[in-house]
Amino acid sequence: MKSRQSPLVPVILGLVLSAIAGMAERINQEGRILGPPPVVTNALLFNTAEADAVLSAMQIFPVTHAWNEDISRRPALANSEAMIAQISTDLSANRRTLRAFQEMNFVLVPDAQRLAPLAFVDYPDESDPGPYPIPSTMPSRPGPRKPVG
């Protein structure tokens, strides 16, 4: 006589396996053990200590992803100085340094952030359809500045 398995056994087994997987250590690309994933409860501007703490506790890409590779000891290309010089020449004089508060800023938002519609003026067909999680404190990126004089 065959014993009948309760229909709850697969459900319970799934929950147990999920719990075990959730307890696994999170290790970043440097081998540092990460704590529990951070919980964002309020919108956090990118250039704050709070946002830095959240981002440093995250593993943005898998450990084996190319963007996590340490390239600090790799040799530079033979023509790297010429490439950098060409880029500097191609940029206008007022665009040769990063303007941290006028470039591509971002805000970390909580999972429960209210979604808002957003209409794109430039390249609407190249943008993901909304709505987007946009907090009321979201900074806007300024448009091109008019030359002085």
Side-chain angles (χ1 to χ4, degrees):
M1 178 177 203
K2 281 187 165 178
S3 65
R4 296 190 67 204
Q5 184 179 26
S6 167
L8 290 177
V9 170
V11 173
I12 294 170
L13 182 60
L15 290 173
V16 169
L17 291 175
S18 294
I20 292 171
M23 291 187 300
E25 286 184 333
R26 297 171 54 241
I27 301 173
N28 75 356
Q29 72 274 7
E30 298 166 336
R32 183 169 52 93
I33 296 174
L34 301 172
V39 176
V40 176
T41 56
N42 296 309
L44 303 172
L45 186 59
F46 79 104
N47 60 341
T48 62
E50 294 86 0
D52 288 347
V54 169
L55 293 175
S56 68
M58 296 172 72
Q59 178 66 46
I60 306 299
F61 293 107
V63 172
T64 57
H65 193 280
W67 283 18
N68 282 326
E69 181 181 350
D70 179 3
I71 62 167
S72 63
R73 292 182 189 88
R74 282 191 162 193
L77 294 174
N79 64 340
S80 67
E81 287 185 24
M83 289 191 300
I84 292 169
Q86 184 63 53
I87 292 168
S88 294
T89 300
D90 291 347
L91 292 173
S92 59
N94 65 346
R95 294 288 297 160
R96 293 192 181 150
T97 59
L98 177 68
R99 294 184 312 252
F101 298 105
Q102 296 177 8
E103 297 298 330
M104 300 298 286
N105 303 332
F106 63 89
V107 173
L108 300 173
V109 297
D111 290 339
Q113 177 64 50
R114 187 176 61 82
L115 299 178
L118 182 66
F120 289 94
V121 176
D122 295 327
Y123 311 106
D125 57 324
E126 295 179 15
S127 301
D128 293 335
Y132 299 91
I134 302 174
S136 60
T137 57
M138 178 74 179
S140 62
R141 182 176 150 209
R145 294 184 179 213
K146 294 180 181 175
V148 177

